[in-house]
Amino acid sequence: MRIDVLTLFPQAFESPLSCSILKRAQEAHIVEIVITDIRDFAADNAQHGLRHYRKVDDKPYGGGPGMVMMPGPVFDCFEHVCKLSPEKGRVFLLTPQGQKFDQRKAVELGGENRLILIAGKYEGFDERIRIGLGAEQISIGDYVLNGGELAAMVIIDVVVRLLPGVLGDDTSAKDDSFSETAGGGLEYPQYTRPEVFRGMKVPEILLSGDHKKIAQWRRQQALERTQKWRPDLLEK
Ligand code: ADE
């Protein structure tokens, strides 16, 4: 899979992409993540040469607060990444106006060969960006971030985790909370050593070696926790 991110803050991606599972997935060539700076495509870039003059946003027509991402630099940046790799991809604007991202959406996106994520800053995107690029809109939750960068990182993290070969043999996403095997609900409780910690014991059943009973107990626990903490998931 290839993931392109178009952003005004490429440096924000450096550390999340360079450690742990995301790092390994790239090293193993399971995913290629390419970050491109939209500001490099600002029209007045050549005239002034200074970062300060590389204008990518402007005041909204009709008035109102804040600044809006201009279409020119985003289109030019988009066309540049399309030339870097001709593979067709699904294009997403990261915005609180988008469809809510969840585990099911992550599974769906994991089946794509290419994703192009466009992170905006300021008050939003000129509407012609969405229309002209045929972009879908996606949100990670009902709150407003300062920009789409953290949302892009969340989506990358969740989607890449699900790609075959990314998690080792001893770890797996298949029983995760919200997964199909968890019935879309929460995961069962986990324990590791020691057997007794500050007077709290590991449930006897987990030490029994009876795998059928353990599986049954886990299903029951998962259901109870979901009923108690996230009943909304059962209604779905
Ligand atoms: N940009 C600002 N807020 C956002 C959100 N909730 N999801 C995705 N992108 C955003």
Side-chain angles (χ1 to χ4, degrees), residues 35-207:
I35 310 293
T36 305
D37 191 345
I38 296 170
R39 209 178 287 276
D40 287 344
F41 299 87
D44 50 359
N45 190 8
Q47 287 165 333
H48 302 281
L50 292 169
R51 197 172 176 85
H52 179 72
Y53 288 105
R54 298 196 288 166
K55 197 169 173 60
V56 290
D57 62 324
D58 212 331
K59 290 182 287 218
Y61 278 119
M67 301 288 267
V68 177
M69 295 275 289
M70 299 160 75
V74 178
F75 268 67
D76 289 349
C77 185
F78 179 81
E79 281 156 9
H80 167 79
V81 302
C82 289
K83 274 188 219 136
L84 288 181
S85 162
E87 178 135 39
K88 278 252 169 295
R90 274 172 78 177
V91 185
F92 289 96
L93 297 184
L94 296 151
T95 158
Q97 297 178 34
Q99 236 189 42
K100 192 92 69 77
F101 177 73
D102 59 11
Q103 196 70 24
R104 190 180 304 171
K105 193 79 183 167
V107 172
E108 179 194 323
L109 298 187
E112 302 287 338
N113 289 324
R114 187 179 191 186
L115 302 176
I116 301 175
L117 308 178
I118 307 178
K121 274 273 159 187
Y122 315 119
E123 301 301 313
F125 298 97
D126 184 303
E127 188 66 4
R128 292 165 292 187
I129 295 172
R130 182 184 65 77
I131 297 166
L133 300 183
E136 300 171 66
Q137 302 183 96
I138 196 159
S139 163
I140 62 163
D142 291 340
Y143 37 76
V144 180
L145 300 163
N146 288 314
E149 282 71 23
L150 287 172
M153 283 180 236
V154 167
I155 292 170
I156 292 169
D157 193 277
V158 180
V159 170
V160 171
R161 176 183 169 77
L162 295 173
L163 298 179
V166 167
L167 296 184
D169 285 343
D170 57 344
T171 45
S172 165
K174 87 175 171 19
D175 294 339
D176 278 352
S177 290
F178 318 113
S179 67
E180 229 169 87
T181 42
L186 303 182
E187 201 188 345
Y188 50 80
Q190 298 275 24
Y191 292 87
T192 187
R193 278 189 281 201
E195 230 176 274
V196 182
F197 176 72
R198 301 198 179 185
M200 295 178 279
K201 285 186 69 185
V202 173
E204 210 63 58
I205 184 111
L206 296 177
L207 311 171

